[in-house]
Amino acid sequence: MKKIFGALMIAVCIGMAMPAQAQIHFGVKGGLNLSKASFSNVGDNFKKDNFTGFFIGPMAEFTIPIVGLGVDGALLFSQRGKDEVKQTGLEVPVNLKYTIGLGSLLGIYIAAGPDFFFDFKKKDYVDRKKAQVALNLGAGVKLLKHLQVGVTYQLPMGDSFTWEEAGKAIGAKNKTWQVSAAYLF
């Protein structure tokens, strides 16, 4: 009986110590993809002609609490680009995130990492790349342990699409600002 009680106590202690080592949270993330951002007149960012799309989907965040270092990833349905070169597809950002806690209810984070985009649309007169890789650079705040609000800049590593003009191939990149909100359970 003493051995069973001792084993049970060890299991309880290990179970209580595990959350102190690492935490994983799941949630939902969504927001706007903006074609351009103005820092001098912030109100212009939320005009209809600047909205190039949205994104929404599930996310997960793995953090080491005392260190403040973690990784977050998401599986997002995303629309980005503008007018005839609008892209619709699946976006998979994976970011290394460093959080500075300012008490138990507020934190500031910076994040960076790769972003993988898989386009759903078929070819038309614009040759869209079916798979693209971009670099994410972002920052934001964590509020009340469950809410995150952030801004991310996506810098594509290659052309997002090409088209023929006067017998010459012209390529362009979809550089995008993302304004996001996430709720973690």
Side-chain angles (χ1 to χ4, degrees), residues 111-160:
D115 181 87
F116 305 97
F117 185 81
F118 304 97
D119 201 342
F120 292 156
K121 288 192 175 182
K122 295 181 179 177
K123 284 187 177 181
D124 50 12
Y125 67 94
V126 176
D127 182 18
R128 292 176 174 79
K129 304 297 180 196
K130 287 294 181 189
Q132 301 168 40
V133 178
L135 175 64
N136 282 338
L137 301 171
V141 294
K142 292 182 176 184
L143 304 166
L144 306 172
K145 295 184 181 181
H146 295 285
L147 183 63
Q148 294 181 9
V149 179
V151 175
T152 303
Y153 184 67
Q154 291 180 340
L155 181 62
M157 296 289 115
D159 288 340
S160 300

Side-chain angles (χ1 to χ4, degrees), residues 17-139:
M18 286 177 72
Q21 292 176 0
Q23 296 178 352
I24 186 162
H25 299 284
F26 297 96
V28 178
K29 184 176 186 176
L32 297 173
N33 287 324
L34 304 172
S35 60
K36 57 186 173 184
S38 170
F39 295 109
S40 60
N41 190 0
V42 176
D44 286 345
N45 292 332
F46 299 100
K47 290 185 177 176
K48 185 178 179 185
D49 64 338
N50 195 26
F51 290 169
T52 59
F54 68 94
F55 58 94
I56 189 164
M59 73 168 287
E61 181 180 73
F62 175 79
T63 58
I64 302 170
I66 296 172
V67 179
L69 193 61
V71 176
D72 78 353
L75 188 62
L76 306 170
F77 173 80
S78 181
Q79 290 181 334
R80 61 185 189 185
K82 198 166 183 178
D83 300 328
E84 66 274 352
V85 290
K86 188 167 234 166
Q87 296 177 299
T88 302
L90 183 67
E91 186 173 344
V92 183
V94 179
N95 295 310
L96 183 63
K97 187 184 279 187
Y98 180 69
T99 304
I100 300 168
L102 303 173
S104 64
L105 300 178
L106 179 67
I108 298 172
Y109 70 85
I110 56 173
D115 181 87
F116 305 97
F117 185 81
F118 304 97
D119 201 342
F120 292 156
K121 288 192 175 182
K122 295 181 179 177
K123 284 187 177 181
D124 50 12
Y125 67 94
V126 176
D127 182 18
R128 292 176 174 79
K129 304 297 180 196
K130 287 294 181 189
Q132 301 168 40
V133 178
L135 175 64
N136 282 338
L137 301 171

